[in-house]
Amino acid sequence: MAADWLGSLVSINCGATLGVYQGEVSSVDQSSQTISLRQPFHNGVKCPVPEVTFSAMDIKELKILEIRSGSNGVTKRSVLDPSAPSTGYAGRKDKGGGGAQGNSAPVTVPGKTEARAHDGGMSPSQNYSKSYGERHADIANQGKVFRRRHNSWSSSSRGANQVTPKKNGSKNGQMKNRDDECFGDGMDDVLDEDFDFEGNLALFDKAAVFSEIDSSDRRGNGARSRGTPAEQTQSRYRHDENILEAKPVVYRQITVPQPGAKEYSTDSGLVVPSISYELHKRLLTVAESYGLSLERRLEMTGVCASQMALTLLGGPNRLTPKNVHQRPTVALLCGPHVQGAQGISCGRHLANHEVEVILFLPNFVKMLEAITNELTLFGKTGGKQVSSVKDLPDTPVDLVINCLDSHENTFLRDQPWYRAAADWANQNRAPVLSIDPPVSGQEQAVEAKWSLSLGLPLALPERAGRVYLCDIGLPRHVFQEAGVKYHSPFGCKFVIPLHSA
């Protein structure tokens, strides 16, 4: 029985992974449950190999496109019905997921058992009892014209001899005439030709069409013109330019009495001049006279610096409830001065956000009251405090925050603990964030990737890395009293990046 299928054209669907194959059946092995196709096509492309063999386990659906019988020379075309019972081909399985027979039904071969067709109640032996020419002559003698339609469901899902049944009634003649007008002679040749999309697209000059539309809009004659003639003469704006400005933008909104050695600019183009350390102290003195005490500035600096550090550590991508096994580690290097107190405040806020903080602060006989207060608060967070460099981690940490330097006391760099901490930071291979770094004639001992300035930036060297500016809450009147014409460059943020002009 397997030899009766040799030479037939079939379509085998092997699922989404292997794809669809079409070709002529060259062999069917019932013992090994395999079928081979000669001159196969894979997903519409001719295969480089002359023959492909399929196992019944890989076949999801098998459709018979054409049956060729070598005994009587009759060619039969059919498409299998997935809902029909499974009989005939020995290599197919009864279950839908295992073989092709579960999703298709056989077409009756002459001399074999006949099965009922899916629609019309006709058996395949009745459909294929005559050749195609004989059936066409019978239909023509009855006054019925049948035309095969390309690119339609009728040519792919029904046999060539199956005619769409017509409704009974007086309108059969009108329906036939309309079918002849839609699917008359000459349509087959047109539909067989592939449409040249690239050639047709090349005929469309998009630039010329848009130029014509724009010129029509400017004249006020186009269909897109709206409003009064005076409104039509106004300039048209892009989506990112649809902001009507009453006056030109002033980018230099901050002026200082004695400009520093550098100028910076924000992302929006505002110019931020650098200031000297004397003017920086003047601003802090005026602010403290108005009630902005050191404790309030430390808290503001700690919040802004910790917010920047959390962003550098990964932000919401790293600090999530599902990522508790990968808590980031931050090493905080502080000295016995105000900059050290700012770092301790930053470490306290980081520890409150589930960051593992290791605070390095040497033991001193006398420390500032601000440092003592910050250490007391930091101890309540569960953070770790060490006084020796040997107690710092041997492996790289996620971030190093440098608060070793002071604006006024430059002699700290000569002390052993300072040099040991700076060497550890340079060898740890972790990125360094410096908070309120000083400007001095000597080169900074710790090379930073980012530096955070307070209020207005100082003229930091290149070794300070990329400069960021922090808003510590200085009122505008404080700047005015210090001789600075000030307009806030922060916008909706408290920490902004600065670019060298």
Side-chain angles (χ1 to χ4, degrees):
M1 178 178 179
D4 296 337
W5 300 93
L6 300 181
S8 301
L9 299 181
V10 298
S11 174
I12 298 177
N13 185 1
C14 298
T17 304
L18 299 179
V20 181
Y21 290 82
Q22 297 90 18
E24 181 181 349
V25 179
S26 60
S27 66
V28 178
D29 192 345
Q30 298 182 2
S31 60
S32 61
Q33 297 288 297
T34 59
I35 182 173
S36 301
L37 301 184
R38 184 188 300 114
Q39 302 296 329
F41 284 77
H42 179 223
N43 294 333
V45 181
K46 186 175 179 61
C47 296
V49 295
E51 190 176 57
V52 179
T53 302
F54 302 91
S55 174
M57 298 296 296
D58 299 330
I59 300 176
K60 304 299 181 185
E61 182 181 10
L62 188 146
K63 295 182 180 179
I64 300 178
L65 305 179
E66 180 177 344
I67 301 177
R68 297 176 182 176
S69 176
S71 60
N72 52 10
V74 177
T75 300
K76 307 170 185 179
R77 298 179 181 272
S78 175
V79 176
L80 297 182
D81 182 13
S83 62
S86 103
T87 57
Y89 175 44
R92 301 165 188 161
K93 295 187 176 181
D94 294 337
K95 295 183 180 180
Q101 185 61 22
N103 296 329
S104 60
V107 176
T108 303
V109 182
K112 306 297 178 180
T113 303
E114 297 181 357
R116 300 286 298 176
H118 179 62
D119 53 351
M122 300 177 62
S123 65
S125 61
Q126 295 174 348
N127 292 339
Y128 298 117
S129 60
K130 297 182 180 181
S131 65
Y132 179 80
E134 293 174 349
R135 294 197 307 274
H136 185 74
D138 294 342
I139 296 175
N141 294 334
Q142 297 176 6
K144 300 179 181 180
V145 179
F146 169 72
R147 300 184 185 276
R148 185 170 59 90
R149 293 181 285 182
H150 293 270
N151 298 329
S152 64
W153 176 85
S154 61
S155 63
S156 60
S157 60
R158 292 196 299 268
N161 63 324
Q162 297 179 7
V163 184
T164 303
K166 295 183 178 181
K167 298 179 180 179
N168 296 328
S170 61
K171 296 184 180 181
N172 289 346
Q174 298 179 1
M175 294 177 62
K176 175 179 176 300
N177 294 335
R178 285 188 293 178
D179 292 343
D180 291 341
E181 292 177 0
C182 294
F183 308 101
D185 293 336
M187 292 299 295
D188 294 346
D189 297 336
V190 175
L191 294 176
D192 285 339
E193 298 178 359
D194 294 335
F195 183 75
D196 188 5
F197 288 95
E198 295 182 359
N200 185 72
L201 184 61
L203 300 176
F204 176 67
D205 191 353
K206 184 169 64 174
V209 172
F210 279 101
S211 177
E212 182 180 355
I213 293 175
D214 294 339
S215 61
S216 177
D217 290 341
R218 285 193 294 269
R219 292 194 303 268
N221 299 326
R224 297 173 60 189
S225 300
R226 297 289 186 271
T228 61
E231 295 175 349
Q232 294 174 5
T233 58
Q234 293 180 357
S235 300
R236 292 183 176 271
Y237 295 91
R238 298 196 310 266
H239 67 281
D240 57 342
E241 296 180 342
N242 196 17
I243 299 177
L244 302 181
E245 301 171 357
K247 56 183 179 180
V249 179
V250 179
Y251 290 100
R252 189 176 293 275
Q253 300 179 358
I254 302 176
T255 58
V256 296
Q258 296 178 355
K262 285 188 176 182
E263 278 191 348
Y264 300 93
S265 62
T266 64
D267 290 339
S268 58
L270 297 177
V271 178
V272 180
S274 64
I275 60 175
S276 60
Y277 178 64
E278 289 73 16
L279 183 56
H280 178 75
K281 290 194 300 181
R282 172 66 176 164
L283 288 172
L284 297 182
T285 302
V286 175
E288 192 164 357
S289 65
Y290 283 103
L292 193 62
S293 61
L294 175 61
E295 289 75 13
R296 301 183 69 173
R297 298 200 306 269
L298 290 177
E299 189 69 18
M300 191 68 183
T301 303
V303 170
C304 294
S306 61
Q307 188 177 31
M308 180 179 176
L310 291 173
T311 303
L312 297 177
L313 291 172
N317 298 324
R318 182 84 180 273
L319 300 168
T320 60
K322 297 181 180 180
N323 199 22
V324 293
H325 64 288
Q326 292 180 341
R327 292 177 56 188
T329 303
V330 175
L332 191 61
L333 309 179
C334 298
H337 37 64
V338 176
Q339 283 71 30
Q342 293 172 351
I344 299 173
S345 176
C346 174
R348 170 166 54 90
H349 290 289
L350 290 177
N352 289 335
H353 286 264
E354 302 299 328
V355 177
E356 185 176 352
V357 180
I358 303 175
L359 171 62
F360 168 77
L361 181 65
N363 292 325
F364 296 98
V365 178
K366 184 178 180 180
M367 289 189 296
L368 296 177
E369 183 181 358
I371 295 180
T372 304
N373 296 335
E374 291 296 334
L375 284 177
T376 303
L377 293 175
F378 177 79
K380 304 301 181 182
T381 61
K384 181 180 179 181
Q385 180 183 352
V386 297
S387 58
S388 176
V389 178
K390 297 179 181 180
D391 297 330
L392 290 174
D394 297 332
T395 58
V397 296
D398 293 280
L399 181 66
V400 175
I401 298 179
N402 177 27
C403 299
L404 296 173
D405 297 297
S406 173
H407 289 283
E408 299 176 353
N409 190 359
T410 60
F411 299 101
L412 293 175
R413 297 186 177 184
D414 299 331
Q415 299 185 12
W417 65 266
Y418 181 95
R419 293 195 302 267
D423 293 340
W424 180 90
N426 292 327
Q427 296 175 5
N428 190 260
R429 296 181 299 174
V432 179
L433 168 63
S434 294
I435 299 178
D436 194 16
V439 178
S440 60
Q442 299 179 2
E443 188 177 1
Q444 292 186 358
V446 179
E447 184 176 0
K449 188 174 182 179
W450 309 281
S451 292
L452 184 62
S453 296
L454 310 181
L456 286 176
L458 303 176
L460 299 178
E462 295 296 333
R463 193 175 173 85
R466 188 171 182 181
V467 181
Y468 283 75
L469 190 62
C470 167
D471 183 11
I472 57 175
L474 300 180
R476 182 181 299 182
H477 187 74
V478 172
F479 289 97
Q480 294 178 356
E481 187 170 338
V484 179
K485 181 183 177 182
Y486 181 81
H487 184 80
S488 176
F490 292 98
C492 61
K493 300 179 180 180
F494 283 89
V495 178
I496 59 174
L498 296 180
H499 310 278
S500 298

